[in-house]
Amino acid sequence: IGPNVTIGPNVIIGDGVRLQRCVLMEATHVKDYAWIKNSIVGWHSSIGRWSRLDGVTVLGDDVHIGHELYINGASVLPHKSINANVCEPGIVM
């Protein structure tokens, strides 16, 4: 964990997770071996096993990222589930 990581209350971090320059808001669940860099993960969100968030990714409240996905620079609006890679920066509505 680190550098420059902020972790909110009631966050669950699985085994082998790598966190760099990111913010995890309250009640986030990061599952085993996920990698989060340069990202903000919103309240009550979850990141699947072996998933990777990079490129200034921002997740809103209650966003769920599936297992083994790559999210690059996406801005994901609240209450969404992502089950496919997002390779190009953009907004997911």
Side-chain angles (χ1 to χ4, degrees):
I1 296 176
N4 303 320
V5 174
T6 301
I7 300 173
N10 303 315
V11 171
I12 300 171
I13 299 174
D15 294 332
V17 170
R18 180 68 171 119
L19 303 172
Q20 294 178 318
R21 295 184 292 280
C22 64
V23 175
L24 304 179
M25 300 293 194
E26 179 180 359
T28 297
H29 186 183
V30 182
K31 297 181 181 167
D32 298 342
Y33 306 103
W35 193 74
I36 303 174
K37 181 178 179 183
N38 300 323
S39 300
I40 299 171
V41 179
W43 302 266
H44 311 287
S45 295
S46 66
I47 310 299
R49 291 186 317 269
W50 293 100
S51 290
R52 178 175 173 169
L53 275 61
D54 198 4
V56 192
T57 295
V58 179
L59 306 182
D61 181 29
D62 189 39
V63 172
H64 303 282
I65 305 296
H67 302 300
E68 300 178 16
L69 296 180
Y70 175 60
I71 311 298
N72 179 28
S75 295
V76 183
L77 298 181
H79 313 295
K80 300 291 178 194
S81 292
I82 306 297
N83 294 311
N85 292 327
V86 179
C87 298
E88 297 295 324
I91 297 173
V92 178
M93 290 201 246

Coordinates of all heavy atoms in Angstrom, one line a residue:
I1 N 0.9 -1.2 0.0 CA 0.0 0.0 0.0 C 0.9 1.2 0.0 O 1.8 1.4 0.8 CB -0.9 0.0 1.2 CG1 -1.9 -1.2 1.2 CG2 -1.7 1.3 1.3 CD1 -2.8 -1.3 2.4
G2 N 0.7 2.1 -1.0 CA 1.4 3.3 -1.0 C 2.3 3.4 -2.2 O 2.4 2.5 -2.9
P3 N 2.7 4.6 -2.6 CA 2.6 5.9 -1.8 C 1.3 6.6 -2.1 O 0.6 6.2 -3.1 CB 3.7 6.7 -2.3 CG 3.9 6.3 -3.7 CD 3.6 4.8 -3.7
N4 N 0.9 7.6 -1.3 CA -0.2 8.5 -1.5 C -1.5 7.7 -1.6 O -2.2 7.9 -2.6 CB 0.0 9.4 -2.7 CG 1.3 10.2 -2.6 OD1 1.6 10.6 -1.5 ND2 2.0 10.3 -3.6
V5 N -1.9 7.0 -0.6 CA -3.1 6.2 -0.5 C -4.0 6.7 0.6 O -3.5 6.8 1.8 CB -2.9 4.7 -0.4 CG1 -4.2 3.9 -0.3 CG2 -2.1 4.2 -1.7
T6 N -5.3 6.9 0.4 CA -6.2 7.3 1.5 C -7.3 6.2 1.5 O -7.9 5.9 0.5 CB -6.8 8.7 1.2 OG1 -5.8 9.6 1.2 CG2 -7.8 9.0 2.3
I7 N -7.5 5.6 2.7 CA -8.5 4.5 2.9 C -9.5 5.0 3.9 O -9.2 5.3 5.0 CB -7.8 3.2 3.3 CG1 -6.7 2.8 2.3 CG2 -8.8 2.1 3.6 CD1 -5.9 1.7 2.7
G8 N -10.8 4.9 3.5 CA -11.9 5.3 4.3 C -12.3 4.3 5.3 O -11.7 3.1 5.3
P9 N -13.2 4.6 6.2 CA -13.7 3.6 7.2 C -14.4 2.4 6.5 O -15.0 2.5 5.5 CB -14.6 4.4 8.1 CG -15.1 5.5 7.3 CD -13.9 5.8 6.3
N10 N -14.3 1.2 7.2 CA -15.0 0.0 6.8 C -14.6 -0.5 5.4 O -15.4 -1.1 4.7 CB -16.5 0.2 6.9 CG -17.0 0.6 8.3 OD1 -16.5 0.0 9.3 ND2 -17.8 1.6 8.3
V11 N -13.4 -0.2 5.0 CA -12.9 -0.7 3.7 C -12.3 -2.1 3.9 O -11.6 -2.3 4.9 CB -11.9 0.2 3.1 CG1 -11.2 -0.4 1.9 CG2 -12.5 1.6 2.7
I12 N -12.6 -3.0 3.0 CA -12.1 -4.4 3.1 C -11.1 -4.5 1.9 O -11.5 -4.3 0.7 CB -13.2 -5.4 2.9 CG1 -14.2 -5.3 4.1 CG2 -12.6 -6.8 2.9 CD1 -15.4 -6.1 4.0
I13 N -9.9 -4.9 2.2 CA -8.8 -5.1 1.2 C -8.4 -6.5 1.3 O -7.9 -7.1 2.3 CB -7.6 -4.1 1.5 CG1 -8.1 -2.7 1.4 CG2 -6.5 -4.4 0.5 CD1 -7.1 -1.7 1.8
G14 N -8.4 -7.2 0.1 CA -8.1 -8.6 0.0 C -6.6 -8.9 0.0 O -5.8 -7.9 0.0
D15 N -6.2 -10.1 -0.1 CA -4.8 -10.5 -0.2 C -4.2 -10.1 -1.5 O -4.8 -10.1 -2.6 CB -4.7 -12.1 -0.1 CG -5.1 -12.6 1.2 OD1 -5.0 -11.9 2.2 OD2 -5.6 -13.8 1.3
G16 N -2.9 -9.7 -1.4 CA -2.1 -9.3 -2.6 C -2.6 -8.1 -3.4 O -2.2 -7.9 -4.5
V17 N -3.4 -7.3 -2.8 CA -3.8 -6.0 -3.5 C -2.7 -5.0 -3.5 O -2.0 -4.8 -2.6 CB -5.1 -5.5 -2.7 CG1 -5.4 -4.1 -3.3 CG2 -6.3 -6.4 -2.9
R18 N -2.6 -4.3 -4.6 CA -1.6 -3.2 -4.8 C -2.3 -1.9 -5.0 O -3.2 -1.8 -5.8 CB -0.7 -3.5 -6.0 CG 0.3 -2.4 -6.3 CD 1.4 -2.5 -5.2 NE 2.5 -1.6 -5.5 CZ 2.8 -0.5 -4.8 NH1 2.2 -0.2 -3.7 NH2 3.9 0.2 -5.2
L19 N -2.0 -1.0 -4.1 CA -2.7 0.4 -4.1 C -1.6 1.4 -4.3 O -0.6 1.4 -3.5 CB -3.4 0.6 -2.8 CG -4.5 -0.4 -2.5 CD1 -5.1 -0.1 -1.1 CD2 -5.6 -0.4 -3.5
Q20 N -1.7 2.3 -5.2 CA -0.8 3.4 -5.5 C -1.6 4.7 -5.8 O -2.5 4.6 -6.7 CB 0.2 3.2 -6.6 CG 1.1 2.0 -6.4 CD 2.0 1.8 -7.6 OE1 1.5 1.9 -8.7 NE2 3.3 1.6 -7.4
R21 N -1.3 5.8 -5.2 CA -1.9 7.1 -5.5 C -3.4 7.0 -5.8 O -3.9 7.3 -6.9 CB -1.2 7.7 -6.7 CG 0.2 8.1 -6.4 CD 0.9 8.8 -7.6 NE 1.2 7.9 -8.7 CZ 2.2 7.1 -8.9 NH1 3.0 6.9 -7.9 NH2 2.3 6.3 -9.9
C22 N -4.1 6.5 -4.7 CA -5.6 6.3 -4.9 C -6.3 6.7 -3.6 O -5.7 6.8 -2.6 CB -5.9 4.9 -5.3 SG -5.4 3.6 -4.2
V23 N -7.6 6.8 -3.8 CA -8.5 7.1 -2.7 C -9.6 6.0 -2.7 O -10.2 5.8 -3.7 CB -9.2 8.5 -2.7 CG1 -10.2 8.6 -1.6 CG2 -8.1 9.5 -2.7
L24 N -9.8 5.3 -1.5 CA -10.9 4.3 -1.4 C -11.9 4.9 -0.4 O -11.5 5.1 0.8 CB -10.3 3.0 -0.9 CG -9.2 2.3 -1.7 CD1 -8.8 1.0 -1.1 CD2 -9.7 2.1 -3.1
M25 N -13.1 5.2 -0.8 CA -14.1 5.8 0.0 C -14.7 4.7 1.0 O -14.4 3.6 0.8 CB -15.2 6.4 -0.8 CG -14.7 7.5 -1.7 SD -14.2 9.0 -0.8 CE -14.1 10.2 -2.1
E26 N -15.6 5.2 1.8 CA -16.2 4.3 2.9 C -16.8 3.0 2.3 O -17.5 3.1 1.3 CB -17.2 5.1 3.6 CG -17.9 4.3 4.7 CD -18.9 5.1 5.5 OE1 -19.1 6.3 5.2 OE2 -19.6 4.6 6.3
A27 N -16.6 1.9 3.0 CA -17.3 0.6 2.7 C -17.0 0.1 1.3 O -17.8 -0.7 0.7 CB -18.8 0.8 2.9
T28 N -15.8 0.4 0.8 CA -15.3 -0.2 -0.5 C -14.8 -1.6 -0.2 O -14.2 -1.9 0.8 CB -14.3 0.7 -1.1 OG1 -14.8 1.9 -1.4 CG2 -13.7 0.1 -2.4
H29 N -15.0 -2.5 -1.1 CA -14.4 -3.9 -1.0 C -13.5 -4.1 -2.2 O -14.0 -4.2 -3.4 CB -15.5 -4.9 -1.0 CG -15.1 -6.3 -0.7 ND1 -15.9 -7.4 -0.7 CD2 -13.8 -6.8 -0.5 CE1 -15.2 -8.5 -0.5 NE2 -14.0 -8.1 -0.3
V30 N -12.2 -4.3 -2.0 CA -11.2 -4.6 -3.0 C -10.8 -6.0 -2.8 O -10.3 -6.4 -1.8 CB -10.0 -3.7 -2.9 CG1 -9.0 -4.0 -4.0 CG2 -10.4 -2.2 -2.9
K31 N -11.2 -6.8 -3.8 CA -11.0 -8.3 -3.7 C -9.5 -8.6 -4.1 O -8.8 -7.8 -4.5 CB -12.0 -9.0 -4.6 CG -13.4 -8.8 -4.1 CD -14.5 -9.5 -4.8 CE -15.8 -9.1 -4.2 NZ -16.9 -9.5 -5.1
D32 N -9.2 -9.9 -3.8 CA -7.8 -10.4 -3.9 C -7.1 -10.0 -5.2 O -7.7 -10.1 -6.3 CB -7.8 -11.9 -3.8 CG -8.3 -12.3 -2.4 OD1 -8.3 -11.5 -1.5 OD2 -8.6 -13.5 -2.3
Y33 N -5.9 -9.6 -5.1 CA -4.9 -9.3 -6.2 C -5.3 -8.3 -7.2 O -4.8 -8.2 -8.3 CB -4.6 -10.7 -7.0 CG -4.1 -11.7 -6.0 CD1 -5.0 -12.8 -5.6 CD2 -2.9 -11.7 -5.5 CE1 -4.6 -13.7 -4.7 CE2 -2.4 -12.6 -4.5 CZ -3.3 -13.6 -4.2 OH -2.9 -14.6 -3.3
A34 N -6.2 -7.4 -6.8 CA -6.6 -6.2 -7.6 C -5.4 -5.2 -7.6 O -4.6 -5.2 -6.6 CB -7.9 -5.6 -7.1
W35 N -5.4 -4.4 -8.6 CA -4.3 -3.3 -8.7 C -5.0 -2.0 -9.0 O -5.7 -1.9 -10.0 CB -3.4 -3.7 -9.8 CG -2.1 -3.0 -9.8 CD1 -1.0 -3.1 -9.0 CD2 -1.7 -2.0 -10.8 NE1 0.0 -2.2 -9.3 CE2 -0.4 -1.6 -10.4 CE3 -2.3 -1.4 -11.9 CZ2 0.3 -0.6 -11.2 CZ3 -1.7 -0.5 -12.6 CH2 -0.4 -0.1 -12.3
I36 N -4.9 -1.0 -8.1 CA -5.5 0.3 -8.3 C -4.4 1.3 -8.2 O -3.7 1.5 -7.2 CB -6.6 0.5 -7.2 CG1 -7.6 -0.6 -7.2 CG2 -7.2 1.9 -7.3 CD1 -8.6 -0.6 -6.1
K37 N -4.4 2.1 -9.3 CA -3.4 3.2 -9.4 C -4.0 4.5 -10.0 O -4.8 4.4 -10.9 CB -2.2 2.8 -10.3 CG -1.1 3.8 -10.4 CD 0.0 3.2 -11.3 CE 1.1 4.2 -11.4 NZ 2.2 3.7 -12.3
N38 N -3.7 5.6 -9.4 CA -4.2 6.9 -9.9 C -5.8 6.9 -10.0 O -6.3 7.3 -11.1 CB -3.6 7.2 -11.3 CG -2.1 7.3 -11.2 OD1 -1.6 7.8 -10.2 ND2 -1.5 6.9 -12.3
S39 N -6.5 6.4 -9.0 CA -7.9 6.3 -9.1 C -8.6 6.7 -7.8 O -8.0 6.7 -6.8 CB -8.3 4.8 -9.4 OG -7.7 4.4 -10.7
I40 N -9.9 7.0 -8.0 CA -10.8 7.3 -6.9 C -11.9 6.3 -6.9 O -12.6 6.2 -7.9 CB -11.4 8.7 -6.9 CG1 -10.2 9.7 -6.9 CG2 -12.4 8.9 -5.8 CD1 -10.7 11.2 -7.1
V41 N -12.1 5.5 -5.9 CA -13.2 4.5 -5.8 C -14.2 5.0 -4.8 O -14.0 5.2 -3.7 CB -12.6 3.1 -5.3 CG1 -13.7 2.1 -5.3 CG2 -11.5 2.7 -6.3
G42 N -15.5 5.2 -5.3 CA -16.6 5.7 -4.6 C -17.1 4.8 -3.5 O -16.8 3.7 -3.4
W43 N -18.0 5.4 -2.7 CA -18.6 4.7 -1.5 C -19.3 3.5 -1.9 O -19.9 3.4 -3.0 CB -19.6 5.6 -0.9 CG -19.0 6.9 -0.4 CD1 -18.6 7.2 0.9 CD2 -18.9 8.1 -1.2 NE1 -18.1 8.5 0.9 CE2 -18.3 9.1 -0.3 CE3 -19.2 8.5 -2.5 CZ2 -18.0 10.4 -0.8 CZ3 -18.9 9.7 -2.9 CH2 -18.3 10.7 -2.1
H44 N -19.2 2.4 -1.1 CA -20.0 1.2 -1.3 C -19.7 0.5 -2.6 O -20.5 -0.2 -3.1 CB -21.5 1.4 -1.1 CG -21.8 2.2 0.1 ND1 -21.7 1.6 1.4 CD2 -22.2 3.5 0.3 CE1 -22.0 2.6 2.3 NE2 -22.3 3.7 1.6
S45 N -18.5 0.7 -3.2 CA -18.2 0.0 -4.5 C -17.3 -1.2 -4.2 O -16.8 -1.5 -3.1 CB -17.3 1.0 -5.3 OG -18.1 2.1 -5.7
S46 N -17.2 -2.0 -5.3 CA -16.4 -3.2 -5.2 C -15.6 -3.4 -6.4 O -16.0 -3.1 -7.5 CB -17.3 -4.5 -4.9 OG -18.1 -4.8 -6.0
I47 N -14.4 -3.9 -6.2 CA -13.4 -4.2 -7.3 C -13.2 -5.7 -7.3 O -12.7 -6.3 -6.3 CB -12.1 -3.4 -7.1 CG1 -12.3 -2.0 -6.8 CG2 -11.2 -3.6 -8.3 CD1 -13.1 -1.2 -7.9
G48 N -13.4 -6.4 -8.4 CA -13.2 -7.8 -8.5 C -11.8 -8.3 -8.5 O -10.8 -7.5 -8.6
R49 N -11.7 -9.6 -8.2 CA -10.3 -10.2 -8.2 C -9.6 -10.0 -9.5 O -10.1 -10.1 -10.6 CB -10.5 -11.8 -8.0 CG -11.0 -12.1 -6.6 CD -11.0 -13.6 -6.4 NE -11.5 -14.4 -7.5 CZ -12.8 -14.7 -7.7 NH1 -13.7 -14.4 -6.9 NH2 -13.1 -15.4 -8.8
W50 N -8.3 -9.8 -9.4 CA -7.4 -9.6 -10.5 C -7.7 -8.4 -11.4 O -7.3 -8.4 -12.6 CB -7.2 -10.9 -11.3 CG -6.5 -12.0 -10.5 CD1 -7.1 -13.0 -9.9 CD2 -5.1 -12.1 -10.2 NE1 -6.2 -13.8 -9.3 CE2 -4.9 -13.3 -9.5 CE3 -4.0 -11.4 -10.6 CZ2 -3.7 -13.7 -9.0 CZ3 -2.8 -11.8 -10.2 CH2 -2.6 -13.0 -9.4
S51 N -8.6 -7.5 -11.0 CA -8.9 -6.4 -11.8 C -7.9 -5.3 -11.7 O -7.2 -5.2 -10.6 CB -10.3 -5.8 -11.5 OG -11.3 -6.8 -11.9
R52 N -7.8 -4.4 -12.7 CA -6.8 -3.3 -12.7 C -7.5 -2.0 -13.0 O -8.2 -1.9 -14.1 CB -5.7 -3.6 -13.7 CG -4.7 -2.6 -13.8 CD -3.6 -3.0 -14.7 NE -2.7 -1.9 -15.0 CZ -1.5 -2.0 -15.6 NH1 -1.1 -3.2 -16.0 NH2 -0.8 -1.0 -15.7
L53 N -7.3 -1.0 -12.2 CA -7.8 0.3 -12.4 C -6.6 1.3 -12.6 O -5.7 1.2 -11.7 CB -8.7 0.8 -11.3 CG -10.2 0.5 -11.2 CD1 -10.4 -1.0 -11.2 CD2 -10.9 1.2 -10.1
D54 N -6.6 2.0 -13.7 CA -5.5 2.9 -13.9 C -5.9 4.1 -14.7 O -7.1 4.2 -15.1 CB -4.4 2.1 -14.7 CG -3.0 2.7 -14.7 OD1 -2.8 3.7 -14.0 OD2 -2.2 2.1 -15.4
G55 N -5.0 5.0 -15.0 CA -5.3 6.2 -15.9 C -6.3 7.1 -15.3 O -7.2 7.6 -16.1
V56 N -6.3 7.5 -14.1 CA -7.2 8.4 -13.4 C -8.7 8.0 -13.6 O -9.5 8.6 -14.1 CB -7.0 9.9 -14.0 CG1 -7.8 10.9 -13.1 CG2 -5.6 10.3 -14.0
T57 N -8.9 6.8 -13.2 CA -10.3 6.2 -13.1 C -11.0 6.7 -11.9 O -10.5 6.8 -10.8 CB -10.2 4.7 -13.1 OG1 -9.6 4.2 -14.3 CG2 -11.6 4.0 -12.9
V58 N -12.3 7.1 -12.1 CA -13.1 7.6 -11.0 C -14.4 6.8 -11.0 O -15.1 6.8 -12.0 CB -13.4 9.1 -11.2 CG1 -14.3 9.6 -10.1 CG2 -12.1 9.9 -11.2
L59 N -14.7 6.2 -9.9 CA -15.9 5.4 -9.8 C -16.9 6.1 -8.8 O -16.5 6.6 -7.7 CB -15.6 4.0 -9.2 CG -14.6 3.1 -9.9 CD1 -14.5 1.8 -9.2 CD2 -14.9 3.0 -11.4
G60 N -18.1 6.2 -9.2 CA -19.1 6.8 -8.3 C -19.6 5.9 -7.2 O -19.0 4.8 -7.0
D61 N -20.6 6.3 -6.5 CA -21.2 5.5 -5.4 C -21.8 4.2 -5.9 O -22.4 4.2 -7.0 CB -22.3 6.3 -4.7 CG -22.9 5.7 -3.6 OD1 -22.3 4.8 -2.9 OD2 -24.1 6.0 -3.3
D62 N -21.5 3.1 -5.2 CA -22.2 1.8 -5.5 C -21.9 1.3 -6.9 O -22.7 0.8 -7.7 CB -23.7 1.9 -5.3 CG -24.4 0.5 -5.4 OD1 -23.8 -0.4 -4.9 OD2 -25.5 0.5 -5.9
V63 N -20.6 1.3 -7.3 CA -20.1 0.8 -8.6 C -19.5 -0.5 -8.4 O -18.7 -0.7 -7.4 CB -19.2 1.8 -9.3 CG1 -18.6 1.2 -10.6 CG2 -19.9 3.1 -9.7
H64 N -19.7 -1.5 -9.2 CA -19.2 -2.8 -9.1 C -18.4 -3.2 -10.3 O -19.0 -3.3 -11.4 CB -20.3 -3.8 -8.7 CG -21.0 -3.4 -7.5 ND1 -20.5 -3.6 -6.2 CD2 -22.2 -2.8 -7.4 CE1 -21.4 -3.1 -5.4 NE2 -22.4 -2.6 -6.0
I65 N -17.1 -3.5 -10.1 CA -16.2 -3.9 -11.2 C -16.1 -5.4 -11.1 O -15.8 -6.0 -10.1 CB -14.9 -3.2 -11.1 CG1 -15.0 -1.7 -11.1 CG2 -13.9 -3.7 -12.3 CD1 -15.6 -1.1 -12.3
G66 N -16.3 -6.1 -12.2 CA -16.2 -7.6 -12.3 C -14.8 -8.1 -12.1 O -13.9 -7.3 -12.0
H67 N -14.6 -9.4 -12.1 CA -13.3 -10.0 -12.0 C -12.5 -9.9 -13.3 O -13.1 -10.0 -14.4 CB -13.5 -11.5 -11.6 CG -14.2 -11.7 -10.3 ND1 -13.8 -11.2 -9.1 CD2 -15.4 -12.3 -10.1 CE1 -14.7 -11.5 -8.2 NE2 -15.7 -12.2 -8.7
E68 N -11.2 -9.8 -13.1 CA -10.2 -9.8 -14.2 C -10.5 -8.8 -15.3 O -10.4 -9.1 -16.5 CB -10.2 -11.2 -14.8 CG -9.8 -12.3 -13.8 CD -9.8 -13.7 -14.4 OE1 -9.8 -13.8 -15.6 OE2 -9.8 -14.6 -13.6
L69 N -10.8 -7.6 -14.9 CA -11.1 -6.5 -15.9 C -10.1 -5.4 -15.8 O -9.4 -5.2 -14.8 CB -12.5 -5.9 -15.6 CG -13.7 -6.8 -15.8 CD1 -15.0 -6.1 -15.5 CD2 -13.7 -7.4 -17.2
Y70 N -9.9 -4.7 -16.9 CA -9.0 -3.6 -17.0 C -9.8 -2.3 -17.3 O -10.6 -2.3 -18.3 CB -8.0 -3.8 -18.2 CG -7.1 -2.6 -18.4 CD1 -6.2 -2.1 -17.4 CD2 -7.0 -2.0 -19.6 CE1 -5.4 -1.1 -17.6 CE2 -6.2 -0.9 -19.9 CZ -5.4 -0.4 -18.9 OH -4.6 0.6 -19.1
I71 N -9.7 -1.3 -16.4 CA -10.4 -0.1 -16.5 C -9.4 1.0 -16.6 O -8.6 1.3 -15.7 CB -11.3 0.2 -15.3 CG1 -12.2 -1.1 -15.0 CG2 -12.2 1.4 -15.5 CD1 -13.1 -1.5 -16.1
N72 N -9.4 1.7 -17.8 CA -8.3 2.7 -18.0 C -9.0 4.1 -18.2 O -9.5 4.4 -19.2 CB -7.5 2.4 -19.3 CG -6.5 3.4 -19.6 OD1 -6.0 4.1 -18.7 ND2 -6.2 3.5 -20.9
G73 N -8.9 4.9 -17.2 CA -9.3 6.3 -17.3 C -10.8 6.5 -17.4 O -11.2 7.6 -17.9
A74 N -11.6 5.6 -17.0 CA -13.1 5.7 -17.1 C -13.6 6.6 -15.9 O -13.1 6.5 -14.8 CB -13.7 4.4 -17.1
S75 N -14.7 7.3 -16.2 CA -15.5 8.0 -15.2 C -16.8 7.2 -15.2 O -17.6 7.3 -16.1 CB -15.7 9.4 -15.5 OG -14.5 10.1 -15.5
V76 N -17.1 6.5 -14.1 CA -18.2 5.6 -14.0 C -19.3 6.3 -13.1 O -19.0 6.5 -11.9 CB -17.9 4.2 -13.6 CG1 -19.1 3.3 -13.6 CG2 -16.8 3.6 -14.4
L77 N -20.5 6.5 -13.6 CA -21.5 7.1 -12.8 C -22.0 6.1 -11.8 O -21.9 4.9 -11.9 CB -22.7 7.6 -13.8 CG -22.2 8.6 -14.8 CD1 -23.4 9.0 -15.6 CD2 -21.6 9.9 -14.1
P78 N -22.7 6.6 -10.7 CA -23.2 5.8 -9.6 C -24.1 4.7 -10.1 O -24.8 4.8 -11.1 CB -23.9 6.8 -8.7 CG -23.3 8.1 -9.0 CD -23.0 8.1 -10.5
H79 N -24.1 3.6 -9.2 CA -25.0 2.5 -9.4 C -24.9 1.7 -10.7 O -25.9 1.3 -11.3 CB -26.5 2.9 -9.2 CG -26.7 3.8 -8.0 ND1 -26.5 3.4 -6.7 CD2 -27.0 5.1 -7.9 CE1 -26.7 4.4 -5.8 NE2 -27.0 5.5 -6.5
K80 N -23.6 1.5 -11.1 CA -23.4 0.7 -12.3 C -22.6 -0.5 -12.0 O -21.8 -0.6 -11.0 CB -22.6 1.6 -13.3 CG -23.2 2.9 -13.7 CD -24.4 2.6 -14.6 CE -25.1 3.8 -15.0 NZ -26.4 3.6 -15.5
S81 N -22.7 -1.5 -12.8 CA -21.9 -2.7 -12.8 C -21.1 -2.8 -14.1 O -21.7 -2.7 -15.2 CB -22.7 -4.0 -12.6 OG -23.3 -4.0 -11.3
I82 N -19.8 -3.0 -14.0 CA -19.0 -3.1 -15.2 C -18.5 -4.5 -15.4 O -17.9 -5.1 -14.4 CB -17.7 -2.2 -15.1 CG1 -18.2 -0.7 -14.8 CG2 -16.9 -2.2 -16.4 CD1 -19.0 -0.1 -15.9
N83 N -18.8 -5.2 -16.5 CA -18.4 -6.6 -16.7 C -17.6 -6.7 -18.0 O -17.5 -7.9 -18.5 CB -19.7 -7.4 -16.8 CG -20.4 -7.5 -15.5 OD1 -19.8 -7.7 -14.4 ND2 -21.7 -7.2 -15.5
A84 N -17.1 -5.6 -18.5 CA -16.2 -5.7 -19.7 C -15.1 -4.7 -19.5 O -15.2 -3.7 -18.8 CB -17.0 -5.4 -21.0
N85 N -14.0 -4.9 -20.2 CA -12.9 -4.0 -20.2 C -13.2 -2.6 -20.7 O -14.0 -2.5 -21.7 CB -11.7 -4.5 -21.0 CG -11.1 -5.8 -20.4 OD1 -11.1 -5.9 -19.1 ND2 -10.6 -6.7 -21.2
V86 N -12.6 -1.6 -20.1 CA -12.8 -0.2 -20.6 C -11.4 0.2 -20.9 O -10.7 0.7 -20.0 CB -13.5 0.7 -19.6 CG1 -13.6 2.1 -20.1 CG2 -14.8 0.2 -19.2
C87 N -11.0 0.1 -22.2 CA -9.6 0.3 -22.5 C -9.3 1.8 -22.9 O -8.1 2.2 -22.8 CB -9.2 -0.6 -23.7 SG -9.3 -2.3 -23.3
E88 N -10.3 2.5 -23.3 CA -10.1 3.9 -23.6 C -10.8 4.8 -22.6 O -11.9 4.5 -22.2 CB -10.6 4.2 -25.0 CG -10.0 3.5 -26.1 CD -8.5 3.8 -26.3 OE1 -8.2 5.0 -26.2 OE2 -7.7 3.0 -26.6
P89 N -10.1 5.9 -22.2 CA -10.8 6.9 -21.3 C -12.1 7.4 -21.8 O -12.3 7.6 -23.0 CB -9.8 8.0 -21.2 CG -8.4 7.4 -21.5 CD -8.8 6.4 -22.6
G90 N -13.1 7.5 -20.9 CA -14.4 8.0 -21.3 C -15.3 7.9 -20.1 O -15.0 7.5 -19.0
I91 N -16.6 8.3 -20.4 CA -17.6 8.2 -19.3 C -18.5 7.0 -19.5 O -19.0 6.8 -20.7 CB -18.5 9.5 -19.4 CG1 -17.6 10.7 -19.1 CG2 -19.6 9.5 -18.4 CD1 -18.3 12.1 -19.3
V92 N -18.8 6.3 -18.5 CA -19.7 5.1 -18.5 C -21.0 5.6 -17.8 O -21.0 5.8 -16.6 CB -19.1 3.9 -17.8 CG1 -20.0 2.7 -17.9 CG2 -17.7 3.5 -18.5
M93 N -22.1 5.6 -18.6 CA -23.3 6.1 -18.0 C -24.3 4.9 -17.8 O -24.3 4.0 -18.5 CB -24.0 7.0 -19.0 CG -23.3 8.4 -19.1 SD -24.4 9.6 -19.7 CE -23.7 10.0 -21.2

